[in-house]
Structures are given as C-alpha cells and as structure tokens.
Amino acid sequence: MSKVAVVYWSGTGNTETMANAVAEGAKGAGAEVDVLVANDFNSEKVAEYDGIAFGCPAMGAENLEESEFEPMFTEVEGSLSGKKIALFGSYGWGSGEWMADWEERSKAAGAVLATDSVICQEAPDDDAVENCKKLGAALA
C-alpha cells in the first residue's frame, strides 16, 4: 500500500475542496492518505510518503500564497528529487500561468509529475472535482 500526502493552503475553501477530492481519489485507489495544511508539512516529512499532492491557489500576480505555502514549498523543494508529486489549485484572474511556473519549478527540483496538474477558475465544478480524484489515484 502506498502512502500519499495531500498538502494544501486554502483561503476561501476552493483548494480545500480540491484537496479532499484528491484524498478521496488516492484512498479509492488503495493508498493510505494524510491531508495536511501547509504549516504541518516540511522537508523532514517528504521521505515518509510515496507521493505528494501539493495544492495552492494563485495569489496576487499569479504567485503561490506567500505567507504559509511558499515558505513551506521552498523549504521542501530540495527534498523532491525523484519524488512523485502532483499539483492542483484554483485561480480567479489571469491565465493560470502560476501553475505552469510551479510545474517548471518542481521539475527543476527533480520531482516527477505523476499526472497533469489540475486547475480550475474560481470554485471547483464537478469536472474539476473528478479530475482531482484522478490526480489522487495517479499518486496512489
């Protein structure tokens, strides 16, 4: 049985909804799953998991949330080489460029993207929730 972490930050609940769908998909595929907020995750925990899903909405000028998520991700980035990860999040403006930047950053750290990232504009609709479940299953 694989062990998956779903690590997220949510300001309005949209990314939390997505995180719960990711967890549901991973559990449905047989994984043991821990759902954690960004402040509860660090580089020491990376090795405990076979796969990690990171979720964060776009903030400001299409950046990761800067007070909690960005510092956590920067801290774990050096531990992601060879680790299977997946990315998800929502945005309310712009083009979703923050996700492309985040994917490139993750690949540069040596992470292995298990599947296509899931992004949605505003609140996740039924399609986004289903795609999050598939994302979770891909990590399991």
Side-chain angles (χ1 to χ4, degrees):
M1 174 184 289
S2 65
K3 189 170 181 184
V4 171
V6 180
V7 183
Y8 74 96
W9 184 92
S10 187
T12 63
N14 292 338
T15 306
E16 181 177 18
T17 296
M18 296 174 82
N20 290 329
V22 171
E24 183 180 336
K27 286 177 187 174
E32 177 184 337
V33 180
D34 292 331
V35 179
L36 307 159
V37 295
N39 282 341
D40 293 335
F41 195 77
N42 59 43
S43 61
E44 293 175 10
K45 294 186 178 194
V46 169
E48 296 175 21
Y49 298 95
D50 300 301
I52 305 168
F54 291 102
C56 185
M59 304 294 286
E62 292 206 58
N63 298 311
L64 296 173
E65 189 278 327
E66 295 174 333
S67 65
E68 296 175 31
F69 195 90
E70 175 65 41
M72 176 278 301
F73 194 77
T74 298
E75 196 262 331
V76 303
E77 216 167 347
S79 303
L80 295 179
S81 184
K83 184 61 71 175
K84 183 167 64 168
I85 71 165
L87 307 175
F88 64 95
S90 62
Y91 65 104
W93 57 89
S95 64
E97 183 180 330
W98 107 102
M99 185 59 74
D101 293 344
W102 193 13
E103 289 171 349
E104 288 306 313
R105 179 177 170 186
S106 297
K107 289 176 187 175
V112 177
L113 292 176
T115 186
D116 291 339
S117 300
V118 176
I119 63 172
C120 67
Q121 193 155 12
E122 303 296 339
D125 58 14
D126 291 343
D127 286 340
V129 168
E130 285 305 311
N131 287 333
C132 285
K133 289 178 184 177
K134 291 175 185 174
L135 184 146
L139 279 176

